[in-house]
Structures are given as C-alpha cells and as structure tokens.
Amino acid sequence: MKNFPISNIDLNGNELKYVSEAIKSTWISSTGKFITQFESMFSEFCSANHAVATSNGTTALHLAIEALNIGIGDEVIVPSLTFAATANAVLHSGATPVFVDSLKDHWNIDAEKISDAITPNTKAILAVHLYGHPCDMSRIMKIAQKHNIFVIEDCAEATGATISGKKVGSIGDIGCFSFFGNKIITTGEGGMCTTNNSNLNERMRVLRDHGMDKFKRYWHNEIGYNYRMTNLNAAIGVAQMEQIDLFLEKRQMLRIQYDKSINFNSNLLKPINSIFGNEVEWFYNLNLSSTTKVNRDKLINELSKVGIDSRPFFYPLHLMPPYLKYKTTSNNLINAEAFGKCGINLPLYPSLSLENVKFISTELNKILA
C-alpha cells in the first residue's frame, strides 16, 4: 500500500554538506557563521531590516511579546482559530489573550471584530496568517495605529506569502516564523523574528541570550531566555533558503493539480483563495459543507486506510479547557467553530509528485462518492 504522510521534509540540497561543515568546524552550538548567514538570507527574503533566529516558532512569538514589554495586566487580541502556541506565548508572558472570531467566508481573523475587542488594556494584535493565507493587514494596521497598539504577525505557516508586494513578517512591528519539520522551510526545530525596528532587533537579541549585556559579558540587566538557534540548525536553514523559491513553486503546482483532480460538490466546497494577498500552499485545505452529512473524522479515518494521512483543522482555542476562562468578543465564535468542525488538510510538500496528487484525489473522490 502506498503511504502519503501529511508532510515530508525535502533535504536534497546542501543540507548535509553544510551540517558536516559546521560539525568539522566544532561550532555546533549557538555561535557560528551559519547563524548570521541564515539571518541575513531570511531578512533579505522577507525584505525586513533585521532577522533574529530562535530555537523554535513558539519562542519566537514569546520573544516578540517580551520585547514589546507586554505582560501582566495587558491584553493581546488573538484569533481563536489557530494553533495553541499563539495563545500560549501570550500566557507565558503573563498577558491575557482575547479571542476573536474568523471571517464568515475565510478562516483568518475578522478585522472588523478586532475593533470590538479593544479595551484600555489592549497592547497588541497577534495576526495569524493561518494555513499560509495572509490576514487583512491593511485594516489591522489601521486599527493598530488608531489605538496606538502593536501588531505581531504569526507567519509560522506562511513563509513567502505576500500582501501588495510585501512579504508577511515585514508589515507589523515583529513577524514570527516557525521552521518545524512540516513548515515551508525547515531547520528541524527553529524559528525567526523579523522587524524593521533597530531597537526591537537589539532588544530581542539581548533577551534571546539570557538578558546578557551586549558589551559587558556575564552582566545581566534583566531576566532573559535561552532562545538561541544552534549553528547546526542554521546550516540546514541556509541550504533550505537556497531552495525556497523552488519549494514555493512546487507547492503551487500541487495546489493546482488538486484543484483539477478533486470532484467538488455540495458536500465538498472548493478551496478558499486568499482574499487579502497571495497565499503560499502549506497543506491543501478543504472544507466540508456545513450542511453535509459526511463525517469529517470518518473521512480522515477512511483516507488513512488507503495510506493517505490527513488532519482536521485546528480546534478553536476558546472551546478547549486551558482557555475557557479567557475573554471572547461574543459568547460563541460561530465562524471559527464552523471551520474547526468542517476543515480538513491533505498532504502537500515538494517531494509529492503530480501523479501522487492524482492518486490522493481519486481515493478522496471514491470515499465521498
């Protein structure tokens, strides 16, 4: 039986060469040429002035929040439909997440409802470019400027997505990326913060390295964190950045093939296109109709029987036990809940072939028929 995981890592470039070089140099911890090279390549790719490499995407989010001096008593607006790390980073800082609903016709945060959620305690909007699709950053930035609050972009799943020609991560005050094994590019584990603000860049670098004074070694002016990326991880990152345009191109080709091969009907809605910019294809995202009798979890189980891994959309955070006590902009966030019930992700990664996509689509069509 064929086997198609939901994601697969493409390490066919210079990854082994650069990791071997790092090992031979003995610079395998948080100092080495690949770290600065990776940061430089990534900031250039995003058209951001600065990039600060971190140990993973969650630490990137937390580092951004801490660098903006957000903490106890402060509120951060967060979409409910997102991975838990988004809200967890807010909670780790001592601040309070305020959950906002998705748009009715798209899973990203509803910018109009952000305004309703703002209070005197609001310090930031955490805009998640979910599943590679850009948020309504034009509206979000206007709201932030009006209320004098920060904007953090969670770009974990959206490396390479653009809005009016600008890469995500270069629009808000800080952009945060993940390089986990299933992301657009990977370093195994790793993350990045991007910013155009020199002061924020310097502060994140200090906080990333235990809060140690930049000029007075082992002198700490504040409590920091060990959120540094290793030279080994960065070596993989450099090799991945050399191939990122090819990765994005392949992902787009696979998306087009899925669109052609799947039989869409009243039960299975056509994929949503980004309405605020040019998305990148992380997974292939499908939505069952809210009126369908097809059981999403049963569909996932049936696909697994023929070797096709799939996964449900994220569950809305406001429904899960750790987050029940935190504020929402209404008693229930109906759009986020609808996407959480009906969404399904199919495999999509550069090493997947067009013939593989045709096979997956044919099996999906058989099950739904």
Side-chain angles (χ1 to χ4, degrees), residues 86-106:
T86 310
N88 290 347
V90 175
L91 293 168
H92 289 324
S93 72
T96 301
V98 177
F99 296 119
V100 171
D101 203 4
S102 303
L103 291 156
K104 184 176 182 179
D105 55 357
H106 194 280

Side-chain angles (χ1 to χ4, degrees), residues 40-239:
S40 176
M41 292 175 77
F42 199 79
S43 63
E44 182 178 356
F45 175 78
C46 292
S47 298
N49 292 340
H50 309 282
V52 181
T54 64
S55 52
N56 57 62
T58 306
T59 58
L61 286 166
H62 186 228
L63 186 64
I65 293 167
E66 291 288 341
L68 295 170
N69 294 309
I70 296 169
I72 296 171
D74 296 331
E75 293 177 352
V76 178
I77 293 173
V78 178
S80 182
L81 190 66
T82 183
F83 184 57
T86 310
N88 290 347
V90 175
L91 293 168
H92 289 324
S93 72
T96 301
V98 177
F99 296 119
V100 171
D101 203 4
S102 303
L103 291 156
K104 184 176 182 179
D105 55 357
H106 194 280
W107 49 68
N108 273 338
I109 191 169
D110 187 337
E112 292 302 320
K113 292 179 181 177
I114 289 175
S115 296
D116 299 333
I118 292 174
T119 74
N121 295 323
T122 305
K123 292 296 185 293
I125 301 166
L126 217 169
V128 182
H129 303 300
L130 192 65
Y131 296 127
H133 288 228
C135 293
D136 185 359
M137 289 302 294
S138 175
R139 179 72 179 132
I140 289 171
M141 294 304 294
K142 289 177 182 176
I143 294 170
Q145 290 162 9
K146 178 180 177 181
H147 295 277
N148 194 30
I149 57 180
F150 298 110
V151 175
I152 301 170
E153 297 179 72
D154 184 340
C155 313
E157 303 154 9
T159 303
T162 60
I163 303 171
S164 299
K166 292 184 177 180
K167 293 278 177 58
V168 297
S170 67
I171 301 167
D173 294 282
I174 301 175
C176 301
F177 296 80
S178 170
F179 306 129
F180 181 64
N182 65 10
K183 297 303 190 294
I184 302 294
I185 64 166
T186 186
T187 59
E189 282 282 8
M192 191 79 76
C193 291
T194 53
T195 184
N196 292 314
N197 186 304
S198 296
N199 291 331
L200 288 176
N201 171 56
E202 292 300 325
R203 178 157 171 74
M204 286 191 288
R205 291 184 182 282
V206 169
L207 289 174
R208 178 184 66 172
D209 190 16
H210 299 281
M212 189 186 303
D213 188 281
K214 185 178 178 181
F215 302 104
K216 191 174 181 180
R217 196 167 181 82
Y218 302 126
W219 182 265
H220 301 260
N221 292 307
E222 59 183 321
I223 297 172
Y225 309 91
N226 181 2
Y227 284 172
R228 300 169 299 194
M229 177 181 283
T230 72
N231 200 38
L232 290 175
N233 293 112
I236 299 172
V238 169

Side-chain angles (χ1 to χ4, degrees), residues 274-293:
S274 178
I275 53 180
F276 303 115
N278 296 319
E279 77 262 20
V280 292
E281 310 305 329
W282 184 37
F283 296 135
Y284 187 72
N285 308 297
L286 290 173
N287 286 277
L288 297 170
S289 169
S290 59
T291 59
T292 184
K293 295 181 180 179

